[in-house]
Amino acid sequence: MSERIDIGPDLLALAAELLDAAREHGDLIATAESCTAGLVAATLTAIPGCSDVFERGFVTYSNAAKSEMLGVPFWLIERHGAVSEDVARAMAGGALTHSQASLAVSVTGIAGPDGGTPEKPVGLVYFAAGRRHGPISDERIEFGDLGREEIRRLSVERAIRLLRSVV
């Protein structure tokens, strides 16, 4: 079964607003994505002229990738799980450490249809965003079991909104 995420005009407008704000502040953006697998980066780079603001994206779907590419300690993943506030925060911090970006956002969650548990159900997503040398904000959202495509689309929107709040 193939899946297609519809970026749509509203999400593109939100992305353009974020890029304009970052440009105005002289910021560069990095993304660190797990369950969205690069969709935040794809949405931002769908905007013409984004290359002066979008620095890089990390797609860290596996636990090994989170550790190798972002420096997330493996013990942190073992202790809290890849889908956790601690790992989301470490992913955002790792994106800042391993890039030239001044702003970063991370996403880690369970898009389904499998992988959920009573403690961490399908639709649970953690986000973190921050500025280099600044605090990292995080959010935990339970979208519910809305289907993989919708969970991922809503996660892209929420990630962009959270990053916009720290520009």
Side-chain angles (χ1 to χ4, degrees), residues 92-141:
L96 289 168
T97 299
H98 297 281
S99 72
Q100 300 302 308
S102 49
L103 299 171
V105 66
S106 69
V107 185
T108 183
I110 304 167
D114 302 318
T117 66
E119 298 79 29
K120 294 184 179 184
V122 170
L124 173 64
V125 183
Y126 287 89
F127 304 86
R131 175 177 288 286
R132 186 175 299 280
H133 308 300
I136 292 181
S137 302
D138 59 77
E139 289 186 349
R140 176 189 193 272
I141 297 182

mmCIF file of all heavy atoms in Angstrom, residues 92-141:
data_model
loop_
_atom_site.group_PDB
_atom_site.id
_atom_site.type_symbol
_atom_site.label_atom_id
_atom_site.label_comp_id
_atom_site.label_asym_id
_atom_site.label_seq_id
_atom_site.Cartn_x
_atom_site.Cartn_y
_atom_site.Cartn_z
ATOM 1 N N ALA A 92 16.755 17.152 18.880
ATOM 2 C CA ALA A 92 16.837 18.571 18.501
ATOM 3 C C ALA A 92 18.213 19.135 18.845
ATOM 4 O O ALA A 92 18.836 19.837 18.040
ATOM 5 C CB ALA A 92 15.732 19.371 19.187
ATOM 6 N N GLY A 93 18.703 18.815 20.043
ATOM 7 C CA GLY A 93 20.038 19.269 20.425
ATOM 8 C C GLY A 93 21.112 18.704 19.521
ATOM 9 O O GLY A 93 22.056 19.410 19.141
ATOM 10 N N GLY A 94 20.970 17.433 19.143
ATOM 11 C CA GLY A 94 21.929 16.806 18.239
ATOM 12 C C GLY A 94 21.924 17.438 16.860
ATOM 13 O O GLY A 94 22.981 17.578 16.228
ATOM 14 N N ALA A 95 20.752 17.830 16.390
ATOM 15 C CA ALA A 95 20.669 18.499 15.082
ATOM 16 C C ALA A 95 21.413 19.830 15.116
ATOM 17 O O ALA A 95 22.076 20.207 14.137
ATOM 18 C CB ALA A 95 19.212 18.698 14.681
ATOM 19 N N LEU A 96 21.332 20.523 16.232
ATOM 20 C CA LEU A 96 22.069 21.788 16.364
ATOM 21 C C LEU A 96 23.574 21.534 16.459
ATOM 22 O O LEU A 96 24.366 22.240 15.836
ATOM 23 C CB LEU A 96 21.583 22.559 17.593
ATOM 24 C CG LEU A 96 20.184 23.156 17.466
ATOM 25 C CD1 LEU A 96 19.675 23.639 18.819
ATOM 26 C CD2 LEU A 96 20.158 24.278 16.441
ATOM 27 N N THR A 97 23.952 20.525 17.213
ATOM 28 C CA THR A 97 25.374 20.204 17.388
ATOM 29 C C THR A 97 26.028 19.743 16.090
ATOM 30 O O THR A 97 27.173 20.093 15.813
ATOM 31 C CB THR A 97 25.528 19.104 18.454
ATOM 32 O OG1 THR A 97 25.006 19.596 19.694
ATOM 33 C CG2 THR A 97 26.985 18.686 18.636
ATOM 34 N N HIS A 98 25.276 18.986 15.291
ATOM 35 C CA HIS A 98 25.848 18.371 14.089
ATOM 36 C C HIS A 98 25.480 19.121 12.807
ATOM 37 O O HIS A 98 25.429 18.526 11.729
ATOM 38 C CB HIS A 98 25.405 16.907 14.005
ATOM 39 C CG HIS A 98 25.921 16.092 15.148
ATOM 40 N ND1 HIS A 98 27.219 15.624 15.203
ATOM 41 C CD2 HIS A 98 25.336 15.695 16.295
ATOM 42 C CE1 HIS A 98 27.393 14.966 16.333
ATOM 43 N NE2 HIS A 98 26.269 14.996 17.012
ATOM 44 N N SER A 99 25.238 20.423 12.930
ATOM 45 C CA SER A 99 24.927 21.234 11.762
ATOM 46 C C SER A 99 25.417 22.659 12.003
ATOM 47 O O SER A 99 25.922 22.982 13.074
ATOM 48 C CB SER A 99 23.411 21.256 11.508
ATOM 49 O OG SER A 99 22.743 22.052 12.488
ATOM 50 N N GLN A 100 25.221 23.483 11.014
ATOM 51 C CA GLN A 100 25.517 24.908 11.136
ATOM 52 C C GLN A 100 24.264 25.701 11.486
ATOM 53 O O GLN A 100 24.295 26.932 11.552
ATOM 54 C CB GLN A 100 26.100 25.437 9.819
ATOM 55 C CG GLN A 100 27.389 24.742 9.403
ATOM 56 C CD GLN A 100 28.462 24.855 10.458
ATOM 57 O OE1 GLN A 100 28.765 25.948 10.928
ATOM 58 N NE2 GLN A 100 29.032 23.730 10.858
ATOM 59 N N ALA A 101 23.155 25.009 11.699
ATOM 60 C CA ALA A 101 21.866 25.659 11.944
ATOM 61 C C ALA A 101 21.835 26.362 13.295
ATOM 62 O O ALA A 101 22.512 25.961 14.245
ATOM 63 C CB ALA A 101 20.742 24.628 11.873
ATOM 64 N N SER A 102 21.014 27.394 13.357
ATOM 65 C CA SER A 102 20.769 28.093 14.622
ATOM 66 C C SER A 102 19.429 27.686 15.216
ATOM 67 O O SER A 102 19.155 27.970 16.380
ATOM 68 C CB SER A 102 20.808 29.605 14.408
ATOM 69 O OG SER A 102 19.997 29.977 13.310
ATOM 70 N N LEU A 103 18.579 27.025 14.419
ATOM 71 C CA LEU A 103 17.277 26.531 14.873
ATOM 72 C C LEU A 103 17.133 25.073 14.471
ATOM 73 O O LEU A 103 17.565 24.686 13.382
ATOM 74 C CB LEU A 103 16.131 27.305 14.206
ATOM 75 C CG LEU A 103 16.026 28.797 14.432
ATOM 76 C CD1 LEU A 103 14.967 29.387 13.504
ATOM 77 C CD2 LEU A 103 15.685 29.090 15.881
ATOM 78 N N ALA A 104 16.498 24.280 15.330
ATOM 79 C CA ALA A 104 16.252 22.883 14.978
ATOM 80 C C ALA A 104 14.925 22.424 15.561
ATOM 81 O O ALA A 104 14.480 22.914 16.594
ATOM 82 C CB ALA A 104 17.369 21.981 15.489
ATOM 83 N N VAL A 105 14.338 21.464 14.866
ATOM 84 C CA VAL A 105 13.114 20.823 15.332
ATOM 85 C C VAL A 105 13.279 19.322 15.174
ATOM 86 O O VAL A 105 13.958 18.863 14.245
ATOM 87 C CB VAL A 105 11.877 21.326 14.557
ATOM 88 C CG1 VAL A 105 11.904 20.928 13.091
ATOM 89 C CG2 VAL A 105 10.583 20.857 15.223
ATOM 90 N N SER A 106 12.676 18.563 16.100
ATOM 91 C CA SER A 106 12.712 17.107 16.003
ATOM 92 C C SER A 106 11.315 16.537 16.171
ATOM 93 O O SER A 106 10.451 17.151 16.798
ATOM 94 C CB SER A 106 13.645 16.515 17.057
ATOM 95 O OG SER A 106 13.100 16.691 18.350
ATOM 96 N N VAL A 107 11.135 15.349 15.596
ATOM 97 C CA VAL A 107 9.860 14.636 15.656
ATOM 98 C C VAL A 107 10.153 13.155 15.857
ATOM 99 O O VAL A 107 10.949 12.579 15.105
ATOM 100 C CB VAL A 107 9.056 14.785 14.342
ATOM 101 C CG1 VAL A 107 7.689 14.137 14.470
ATOM 102 C CG2 VAL A 107 8.928 16.231 13.910
ATOM 103 N N THR A 108 9.511 12.544 16.845
ATOM 104 C CA THR A 108 9.612 11.099 17.047
ATOM 105 C C THR A 108 8.278 10.604 17.579
ATOM 106 O O THR A 108 7.714 11.188 18.492
ATOM 107 C CB THR A 108 10.786 10.719 17.977
ATOM 108 O OG1 THR A 108 10.863 9.290 18.065
ATOM 109 C CG2 THR A 108 10.686 11.321 19.359
ATOM 110 N N GLY A 109 7.744 9.578 16.947
ATOM 111 C CA GLY A 109 6.437 9.105 17.367
ATOM 112 C C GLY A 109 6.070 7.772 16.770
ATOM 113 O O GLY A 109 6.894 7.103 16.141
ATOM 114 N N ILE A 110 4.811 7.404 16.969
ATOM 115 C CA ILE A 110 4.280 6.139 16.475
ATOM 116 C C ILE A 110 3.147 6.457 15.515
ATOM 117 O O ILE A 110 2.036 6.815 15.934
ATOM 118 C CB ILE A 110 3.793 5.248 17.631
ATOM 119 C CG1 ILE A 110 4.932 5.032 18.630
ATOM 120 C CG2 ILE A 110 3.265 3.921 17.094
ATOM 121 C CD1 ILE A 110 4.497 4.430 19.946
ATOM 122 N N ALA A 111 3.439 6.356 14.215
ATOM 123 C CA ALA A 111 2.452 6.681 13.186
ATOM 124 C C ALA A 111 1.550 5.496 12.851
ATOM 125 O O ALA A 111 0.502 5.672 12.243
ATOM 126 C CB ALA A 111 3.151 7.191 11.928
ATOM 127 N N GLY A 112 1.964 4.299 13.226
ATOM 128 C CA GLY A 112 1.133 3.118 12.998
ATOM 129 C C GLY A 112 1.269 2.564 11.600
ATOM 130 O O GLY A 112 2.114 3.004 10.834
ATOM 131 N N PRO A 113 0.484 1.606 11.233
ATOM 132 C CA PRO A 113 -0.641 1.087 12.025
ATOM 133 C C PRO A 113 -0.204 0.209 13.190
ATOM 134 O O PRO A 113 -0.985 -0.037 14.106
ATOM 135 C CB PRO A 113 -1.453 0.286 11.018
ATOM 136 C CG PRO A 113 -0.469 -0.164 9.996
ATOM 137 C CD PRO A 113 0.572 0.930 9.925
ATOM 138 N N ASP A 114 1.047 -0.273 13.181
ATOM 139 C CA ASP A 114 1.539 -1.131 14.259
ATOM 140 C C ASP A 114 2.462 -0.341 15.156
ATOM 141 O O ASP A 114 2.782 0.811 14.896
ATOM 142 C CB ASP A 114 2.306 -2.326 13.671
ATOM 143 C CG ASP A 114 1.454 -3.148 12.716
ATOM 144 O OD1 ASP A 114 0.276 -3.370 13.033
ATOM 145 O OD2 ASP A 114 1.974 -3.543 11.657
ATOM 146 N N GLY A 115 2.927 -0.978 16.213
ATOM 147 C CA GLY A 115 3.947 -0.397 17.075
ATOM 148 C C GLY A 115 3.433 0.243 18.340
ATOM 149 O O GLY A 115 4.214 0.577 19.219
ATOM 150 N N GLY A 116 2.140 0.452 18.445
ATOM 151 C CA GLY A 116 1.597 1.070 19.647
ATOM 152 C C GLY A 116 1.483 0.093 20.800
ATOM 153 O O GLY A 116 1.407 -1.115 20.603
ATOM 154 N N THR A 117 1.492 0.644 22.010
ATOM 155 C CA THR A 117 1.272 -0.119 23.232
ATOM 156 C C THR A 117 0.295 0.687 24.084
ATOM 157 O O THR A 117 0.029 1.859 23.786
ATOM 158 C CB THR A 117 2.588 -0.302 24.025
ATOM 159 O OG1 THR A 117 3.028 0.989 24.497
ATOM 160 C CG2 THR A 117 3.679 -0.952 23.186
ATOM 161 N N PRO A 118 -0.234 0.109 25.145
ATOM 162 C CA PRO A 118 -1.116 0.908 26.020
ATOM 163 C C PRO A 118 -0.419 2.160 26.567
ATOM 164 O O PRO A 118 -1.044 3.215 26.708
ATOM 165 C CB PRO A 118 -1.482 -0.066 27.141
ATOM 166 C CG PRO A 118 -1.393 -1.416 26.505
ATOM 167 C CD PRO A 118 -0.224 -1.311 25.549
ATOM 168 N N GLU A 119 0.881 2.057 26.869
ATOM 169 C CA GLU A 119 1.621 3.212 27.399
ATOM 170 C C GLU A 119 1.983 4.216 26.303
ATOM 171 O O GLU A 119 2.072 5.413 26.553
ATOM 172 C CB GLU A 119 2.915 2.757 28.084
ATOM 173 C CG GLU A 119 2.719 1.860 29.279
ATOM 174 C CD GLU A 119 2.431 0.409 28.886
ATOM 175 O OE1 GLU A 119 2.892 -0.057 27.817
ATOM 176 O OE2 GLU A 119 1.714 -0.272 29.645
ATOM 177 N N LYS A 120 2.233 3.709 25.107
ATOM 178 C CA LYS A 120 2.619 4.550 23.971
ATOM 179 C C LYS A 120 1.782 4.120 22.768
ATOM 180 O O LYS A 120 2.221 3.321 21.938
ATOM 181 C CB LYS A 120 4.125 4.427 23.683
ATOM 182 C CG LYS A 120 4.988 4.976 24.805
ATOM 183 C CD LYS A 120 6.456 4.927 24.456
ATOM 184 C CE LYS A 120 7.284 5.498 25.602
ATOM 185 N NZ LYS A 120 8.710 5.554 25.269
ATOM 186 N N PRO A 121 0.575 4.684 22.664
ATOM 187 C CA PRO A 121 -0.344 4.251 21.603
ATOM 188 C C PRO A 121 0.007 4.841 20.237
ATOM 189 O O PRO A 121 0.726 5.841 20.139
ATOM 190 C CB PRO A 121 -1.691 4.784 22.090
ATOM 191 C CG PRO A 121 -1.337 6.000 22.890
ATOM 192 C CD PRO A 121 -0.028 5.668 23.561
ATOM 193 N N VAL A 122 -0.528 4.215 19.206
ATOM 194 C CA VAL A 122 -0.419 4.783 17.857
ATOM 195 C C VAL A 122 -0.991 6.202 17.918
ATOM 196 O O VAL A 122 -2.041 6.450 18.512
ATOM 197 C CB VAL A 122 -1.191 3.922 16.836
ATOM 198 C CG1 VAL A 122 -1.289 4.641 15.491
ATOM 199 C CG2 VAL A 122 -0.512 2.564 16.664
ATOM 200 N N GLY A 123 -0.273 7.134 17.331
ATOM 201 C CA GLY A 123 -0.690 8.537 17.329
ATOM 202 C C GLY A 123 0.031 9.388 18.356
ATOM 203 O O GLY A 123 -0.112 10.606 18.372
ATOM 204 N N LEU A 124 0.861 8.766 19.206
ATOM 205 C CA LEU A 124 1.654 9.519 20.178
ATOM 206 C C LEU A 124 2.901 10.058 19.478
ATOM 207 O O LEU A 124 3.655 9.298 18.873
ATOM 208 C CB LEU A 124 2.074 8.627 21.345
ATOM 209 C CG LEU A 124 3.054 9.240 22.345
ATOM 210 C CD1 LEU A 124 2.427 10.435 23.063
ATOM 211 C CD2 LEU A 124 3.515 8.186 23.345
ATOM 212 N N VAL A 125 3.105 11.363 19.567
ATOM 213 C CA VAL A 125 4.255 11.989 18.918
ATOM 214 C C VAL A 125 4.857 13.023 19.868
ATOM 215 O O VAL A 125 4.136 13.794 20.506
ATOM 216 C CB VAL A 125 3.866 12.668 17.585
ATOM 217 C CG1 VAL A 125 5.097 13.249 16.888
ATOM 218 C CG2 VAL A 125 3.135 11.694 16.666
ATOM 219 N N TYR A 126 6.181 13.007 19.960
ATOM 220 C CA TYR A 126 6.923 13.999 20.730
ATOM 221 C C TYR A 126 7.657 14.922 19.761
ATOM 222 O O TYR A 126 8.201 14.467 18.756
ATOM 223 C CB TYR A 126 7.951 13.330 21.640
ATOM 224 C CG TYR A 126 7.343 12.623 22.821
ATOM 225 C CD1 TYR A 126 6.957 11.291 22.729
ATOM 226 C CD2 TYR A 126 7.166 13.286 24.035
ATOM 227 C CE1 TYR A 126 6.406 10.638 23.811
ATOM 228 C CE2 TYR A 126 6.614 12.636 25.119
ATOM 229 C CZ TYR A 126 6.232 11.318 25.003
ATOM 230 O OH TYR A 126 5.690 10.670 26.083
ATOM 231 N N PHE A 127 7.679 16.195 20.115
ATOM 232 C CA PHE A 127 8.335 17.227 19.312
ATOM 233 C C PHE A 127 9.276 18.001 20.226
ATOM 234 O O PHE A 127 9.004 18.164 21.413
ATOM 235 C CB PHE A 127 7.304 18.226 18.771
ATOM 236 C CG PHE A 127 6.211 17.606 17.970
ATOM 237 C CD1 PHE A 127 5.076 17.102 18.594
ATOM 238 C CD2 PHE A 127 6.311 17.509 16.595
ATOM 239 C CE1 PHE A 127 4.059 16.527 17.853
ATOM 240 C CE2 PHE A 127 5.297 16.939 15.850
ATOM 241 C CZ PHE A 127 4.163 16.443 16.487
ATOM 242 N N ALA A 128 10.349 18.520 19.666
ATOM 243 C CA ALA A 128 11.228 19.434 20.399
ATOM 244 C C ALA A 128 11.789 20.432 19.395
ATOM 245 O O ALA A 128 12.008 20.104 18.230
ATOM 246 C CB ALA A 128 12.349 18.681 21.096
ATOM 247 N N ALA A 129 11.963 21.656 19.857
ATOM 248 C CA ALA A 129 12.529 22.700 18.995
ATOM 249 C C ALA A 129 13.323 23.658 19.857
ATOM 250 O O ALA A 129 12.967 23.905 21.017
ATOM 251 C CB ALA A 129 11.423 23.452 18.253
ATOM 252 N N GLY A 130 14.376 24.169 19.286
ATOM 253 C CA GLY A 130 15.187 25.106 20.040
ATOM 254 C C GLY A 130 16.144 25.879 19.173
ATOM 255 O O GLY A 130 16.294 25.627 17.976
ATOM 256 N N ARG A 131 16.767 26.800 19.829
ATOM 257 C CA ARG A 131 17.755 27.686 19.221
ATOM 258 C C ARG A 131 19.112 27.344 19.821
ATOM 259 O O ARG A 131 19.210 27.026 21.001
ATOM 260 C CB ARG A 131 17.351 29.126 19.552
ATOM 261 C CG ARG A 131 18.287 30.188 19.121
ATOM 262 C CD ARG A 131 17.725 31.573 19.458
ATOM 263 N NE ARG A 131 16.606 31.925 18.604
ATOM 264 C CZ ARG A 131 16.716 32.273 17.328
ATOM 265 N NH1 ARG A 131 17.897 32.292 16.744
ATOM 266 N NH2 ARG A 131 15.658 32.596 16.623
ATOM 267 N N ARG A 132 20.135 27.418 18.997
ATOM 268 C CA ARG A 132 21.510 27.174 19.476
ATOM 269 C C ARG A 132 21.768 28.069 20.698
ATOM 270 O O ARG A 132 21.447 29.252 20.679
ATOM 271 C CB ARG A 132 22.501 27.492 18.360
ATOM 272 C CG ARG A 132 23.935 27.140 18.717
ATOM 273 C CD ARG A 132 24.882 27.360 17.547
ATOM 274 N NE ARG A 132 24.559 26.545 16.391
ATOM 275 C CZ ARG A 132 24.870 25.262 16.243
ATOM 276 N NH1 ARG A 132 25.502 24.622 17.196
ATOM 277 N NH2 ARG A 132 24.543 24.618 15.138
ATOM 278 N N HIS A 133 22.321 27.502 21.740
ATOM 279 C CA HIS A 133 22.643 28.199 22.991
ATOM 280 C C HIS A 133 21.396 28.718 23.709
ATOM 281 O O HIS A 133 21.482 29.653 24.503
ATOM 282 C CB HIS A 133 23.640 29.346 22.775
ATOM 283 C CG HIS A 133 24.863 28.936 22.038
ATOM 284 N ND1 HIS A 133 25.727 27.959 22.489
ATOM 285 C CD2 HIS A 133 25.357 29.333 20.839
ATOM 286 C CE1 HIS A 133 26.705 27.801 21.616
ATOM 287 N NE2 HIS A 133 26.507 28.608 20.603
ATOM 288 N N GLY A 134 20.245 28.134 23.392
ATOM 289 C CA GLY A 134 19.013 28.553 24.052
ATOM 290 C C GLY A 134 18.258 27.350 24.576
ATOM 291 O O GLY A 134 18.690 26.208 24.403
ATOM 292 N N PRO A 135 17.130 27.589 25.200
ATOM 293 C CA PRO A 135 16.340 26.478 25.723
ATOM 294 C C PRO A 135 15.682 25.678 24.595
ATOM 295 O O PRO A 135 15.466 26.196 23.499
ATOM 296 C CB PRO A 135 15.281 27.161 26.594
ATOM 297 C CG PRO A 135 15.137 28.529 26.001
ATOM 298 C CD PRO A 135 16.503 28.887 25.469
ATOM 299 N N ILE A 136 15.370 24.423 24.903
ATOM 300 C CA ILE A 136 14.653 23.574 23.957
ATOM 301 C C ILE A 136 13.239 23.382 24.498
ATOM 302 O O ILE A 136 13.055 23.003 25.657
ATOM 303 C CB ILE A 136 15.364 22.222 23.755
ATOM 304 C CG1 ILE A 136 16.693 22.465 23.034
ATOM 305 C CG2 ILE A 136 14.485 21.250 22.975
ATOM 306 C CD1 ILE A 136 17.496 21.227 22.735
ATOM 307 N N SER A 137 12.255 23.692 23.661
ATOM 308 C CA SER A 137 10.848 23.487 24.009
ATOM 309 C C SER A 137 10.427 22.122 23.506
ATOM 310 O O SER A 137 10.934 21.645 22.489
ATOM 311 C CB SER A 137 9.966 24.540 23.322
ATOM 312 O OG SER A 137 10.360 25.834 23.692
ATOM 313 N N ASP A 138 9.495 21.500 24.209
ATOM 314 C CA ASP A 138 9.020 20.207 23.732
ATOM 315 C C ASP A 138 7.509 20.106 23.912
ATOM 316 O O ASP A 138 6.913 20.859 24.687
ATOM 317 C CB ASP A 138 9.729 19.049 24.451
ATOM 318 C CG ASP A 138 9.531 19.090 25.944
ATOM 319 O OD1 ASP A 138 8.447 18.711 26.408
ATOM 320 O OD2 ASP A 138 10.469 19.510 26.652
ATOM 321 N N GLU A 139 6.926 19.199 23.168
ATOM 322 C CA GLU A 139 5.487 18.937 23.238
ATOM 323 C C GLU A 139 5.243 17.449 23.098
ATOM 324 O O GLU A 139 5.975 16.758 22.388
ATOM 325 C CB GLU A 139 4.741 19.633 22.101
ATOM 326 C CG GLU A 139 4.659 21.118 22.217
ATOM 327 C CD GLU A 139 3.780 21.733 21.130
ATOM 328 O OE1 GLU A 139 3.398 21.032 20.176
ATOM 329 O OE2 GLU A 139 3.488 22.924 21.260
ATOM 330 N N ARG A 140 4.207 16.979 23.738
ATOM 331 C CA ARG A 140 3.729 15.601 23.618
ATOM 332 C C ARG A 140 2.290 15.701 23.140
ATOM 333 O O ARG A 140 1.470 16.366 23.773
ATOM 334 C CB ARG A 140 3.779 14.915 24.975
ATOM 335 C CG ARG A 140 3.221 13.506 24.994
ATOM 336 C CD ARG A 140 3.130 13.005 26.440
ATOM 337 N NE ARG A 140 2.909 11.601 26.521
ATOM 338 C CZ ARG A 140 1.705 11.020 26.519
ATOM 339 N NH1 ARG A 140 0.619 11.765 26.447
ATOM 340 N NH2 ARG A 140 1.600 9.710 26.599
ATOM 341 N N ILE A 141 2.004 15.075 22.013
ATOM 342 C CA ILE A 141 0.647 15.118 21.465
ATOM 343 C C ILE A 141 0.189 13.695 21.171
ATOM 344 O O ILE A 141 0.932 12.910 20.581
ATOM 345 C CB ILE A 141 0.572 15.988 20.189
ATOM 346 C CG1 ILE A 141 0.939 17.434 20.530
ATOM 347 C CG2 ILE A 141 -0.825 15.909 19.567
ATOM 348 C CD1 ILE A 141 0.865 18.397 19.391
#
